[in-house]
Amino acid sequence: MKLTLSLRVVLPAAAAAALLSAAALPADAAAMPKFAAPKAYGTSFQSDPHHDFTKHISPRHDGILRGWVTHYRSGVAEYEPIRWVKDTHIEGYFEGPPEGDVTAYASPVAKNVVFYSATGCKGTTVTVKNGGLGAKRCSRSELISRMKSVRHPALITVYRGAIVKVQEIYTP
């Protein structure tokens, strides 16, 4: 009898906790698979062997791309892969594909996109964790304003054709 009473108390509390934690996640986040993240400072361009670049610009396949947004308009971001180039005078820098290369993608930015900044939401304080990845969660509007200005290296997660997460890579 005591077991039944304690289960009646524990189960509703567990269900409520599950509902609260699910409400804090973006839609489909629980269903989204874990994608293998590339090295933040990888020295080669990531390929997408199943993507047909001879057709119109379209979303990358589901996964995480080390890249940056080259253009943003009306809720759609165009982005390309990037790589880290080591330098003798400075630590290094990121670069995109050479001029004339058609390796580019375009995806809508999800309404519930998750954005982690490497320089804080105001762009003034370094906020990184191990590996040089942004750790400060900022708003969608802050992400959009950055997409419209300067190219920021990032790990861009695409799921079901939309950008669902952007995590900036710190550049010294």
Side-chain angles (χ1 to χ4, degrees), residues 36-80:
K39 290 182 179 179
Y41 298 95
T43 56
S44 62
F45 293 114
Q46 290 173 258
S47 64
D48 189 356
H50 304 294
H51 195 87
D52 187 356
F53 292 103
T54 62
K55 296 182 179 177
H56 62 78
I57 190 167
S58 59
R60 187 177 196 281
H61 287 84
D62 290 355
I64 303 174
L65 174 74
R66 179 184 53 255
W68 55 30
V69 173
T70 57
H71 184 74
Y72 176 85
R73 183 175 174 193
S74 302
V76 176
E78 292 182 17
Y79 51 101
E80 64 185 11

Side-chain angles (χ1 to χ4, degrees), residues 85-126:
V85 178
K86 295 178 183 176
D87 195 14
T88 55
H89 301 292
I90 59 173
E91 196 169 328
Y93 58 92
F94 282 103
E95 71 176 6
E99 189 70 33
D101 190 305
V102 296
T103 309
Y105 310 94
S107 297
V109 177
K111 296 289 182 201
N112 55 353
V113 65
V114 176
F115 171 50
Y116 291 100
S117 171
T119 57
C121 297
K122 301 292 183 204
T124 56
T125 309
V126 175

